[in-house]
Amino acid sequence: MPGTDLVRRIPALLAALAVGLFGALTFAAPAAAATHDAPATATLSCENGKVAVRWTIRNGWPDVADVSDVSGKPVDVALSGAELEGKGDKIAGKQLVPTSADTATLSYTVRWADRVTTTRTATKTIPDDVCSTAPPKCIEAADASYQHSFDGTKGTATVALLAGQKLCKGSSQDFSLASYTAASAGGYSSALPQQLFRQQTRTLSAKHPSVTLRVAVPDCYTQVVLIWGDHDEVLTDFRKDTPSYGAKVLGHSGAPGNRSIGPVGSFRGGRTACVVSVTDSASPSEPPAAAPARSASASSAAAATSASSLPVTGGSLAAIIVAVVVLAGGGLVLFAAARRRRVTPTDR
């Protein structure tokens, strides 16, 4: 009967409905796990004395989403994008927050392609030690870089560690400044020979990160050099077969001179020839006050003055010799007369 068949089919229909519902729930479970969400996370670092808060917004839904109304506290956020692709895609932004701030916040709105919209606010706590000043690491003098100034006409120079560097305790580097008398003010070969006039050596260390050097400069043809090394590196003279300082000169293109930033530490000048040159090392603590070397014109004038002031001794010597001869002759005459008087008979 028709009614009987319908009654018999009801259990089968219910079973099929149950199987279908179970399958739908089973396959829908992963989809339900995805939600319309776009959380933000942050990391902290220190940049130029401020706390850098780097935010990341990540899409938790498979559809494309637009990010808008972005703002931050205590300062705004510079965002590197305004759209999120599918699930897992992210955009980033950064705040530079004062170290006095306790927290940083990020507020934003996300709208997905299916028109679902959410507004979020994320907060990041800022510890006090994010920008704590760590003691600078020291370096050895052999690994350090330097900077210098140089004035050859005045015989002065300064050498200092490059900013931001600190030498380790016990590490040091010597620098020397030297002046020479020269044969001319021309090129190196035409200025030979040269003779050391004054020198000074200073030591740069952790306690003395900068040094100043001074030497007297002769008033005749001269060469002044600022070199890498101590007083033992300073040459006493230059002749045809003497090698030059080369890359030891600070500011040179080669090592070690190129480890100091500044002008080339070499000067040649002067207008008159040198006739007297003295090799005399300057005191390490005080530069010499006087220069014994003189120009040719000054020396000639001094020689003329000296010659005009010398005592004339030639005439006095001749007079003395004549007086001795006269006295000796008179003595002989008197002696002969006295002898003759003794041998002559006495008048009676």
Side-chain angles (χ1 to χ4, degrees), residues 295-341:
S295 63
S297 58
S299 298
S300 299
T305 302
S306 176
S308 64
S309 63
L310 288 175
V312 180
T313 59
S316 299
L317 182 59
I320 292 172
I321 294 174
V322 171
V324 170
V325 172
V326 171
L327 291 175
L332 291 174
V333 171
L334 292 176
F335 176 77
R339 181 181 179 86
R340 182 178 182 184
R341 187 172 182 180

Side-chain angles (χ1 to χ4, degrees), residues 2-308:
T4 304
D5 293 338
L6 180 61
V7 172
R8 290 178 178 177
R9 291 178 180 177
I10 288 176
L13 291 174
L14 291 175
L17 182 61
V19 170
L21 181 61
F22 177 78
L25 291 175
T26 301
F27 288 104
T35 59
H36 290 82
D37 195 13
T41 57
T43 59
L44 305 177
S45 62
C46 187
E47 288 185 12
N48 300 322
K50 291 186 177 182
V51 178
V53 185
R54 289 178 170 80
W55 293 99
T56 300
I57 302 174
R58 186 182 297 272
N59 192 358
W61 187 252
D63 291 337
V64 176
D66 291 326
V67 179
S68 60
D69 301 327
V70 179
S71 63
K73 292 182 179 180
V75 294
D76 285 336
V77 177
L79 204 63
S80 63
E83 185 177 86
L84 288 168
E85 297 295 335
K87 185 176 181 180
D89 190 35
K90 60 185 179 180
I91 58 177
K94 185 175 77 169
Q95 288 172 295
L96 283 177
V97 180
T99 55
S100 57
D102 296 325
T103 59
T105 61
L106 175 70
S107 298
Y108 55 98
T109 298
V110 182
R111 180 182 178 86
W112 282 271
D114 57 6
R115 297 185 179 182
V116 175
T117 302
T118 183
T119 299
R120 299 287 301 267
T121 297
T123 301
K124 182 70 174 179
T125 302
I126 302 175
D128 294 334
D129 60 351
V130 174
C131 278
S132 60
T133 304
K137 293 182 178 180
C138 66
I139 58 176
E140 296 297 325
D143 301 321
S145 298
Y146 306 85
Q147 55 188 359
H148 67 275
S149 65
F150 175 75
D151 189 337
T153 59
K154 296 181 180 179
T156 61
T158 62
V159 186
L161 281 170
L162 207 59
Q165 297 187 15
K166 180 181 179 181
L167 290 186
C168 298
K169 185 177 181 180
S171 184
S172 63
Q173 178 60 53
D174 294 324
F175 298 96
S176 297
L177 184 66
S179 61
Y180 293 83
T181 57
S184 74
Y188 176 73
S189 59
S190 65
L192 298 177
Q194 296 180 20
Q195 191 172 14
L196 180 62
F197 183 67
R198 291 290 188 270
Q199 74 175 75
Q200 188 177 70
T201 297
R202 294 290 194 188
T203 301
L204 194 149
S205 62
K207 189 176 181 180
H208 299 97
S210 64
V211 293
T212 299
L213 301 102
R214 296 184 182 91
V215 294
V217 179
D219 60 359
C220 52
Y221 294 137
T222 183
Q223 177 183 211
V224 182
V225 289
L226 174 63
I227 67 165
W228 188 286
D230 61 12
H231 55 85
D232 291 335
E233 299 290 329
V234 177
L235 301 174
T236 57
D237 59 13
F238 288 95
R239 302 188 180 279
K240 188 175 181 180
D241 57 347
T242 304
S244 64
Y245 283 118
K248 288 183 180 180
V249 176
L250 268 65
H252 194 279
S253 59
N258 60 2
R259 287 175 53 194
S260 184
I261 301 172
V264 177
S266 178
F267 165 79
R268 294 188 183 92
R271 297 182 179 179
T272 56
C274 302
V275 295
V276 179
S277 58
V278 178
T279 302
D280 185 13
S281 299
S283 167
S285 59
E286 296 182 3
R294 299 189 299 273
S295 63
S297 58
S299 298
S300 299
T305 302
S306 176
S308 64

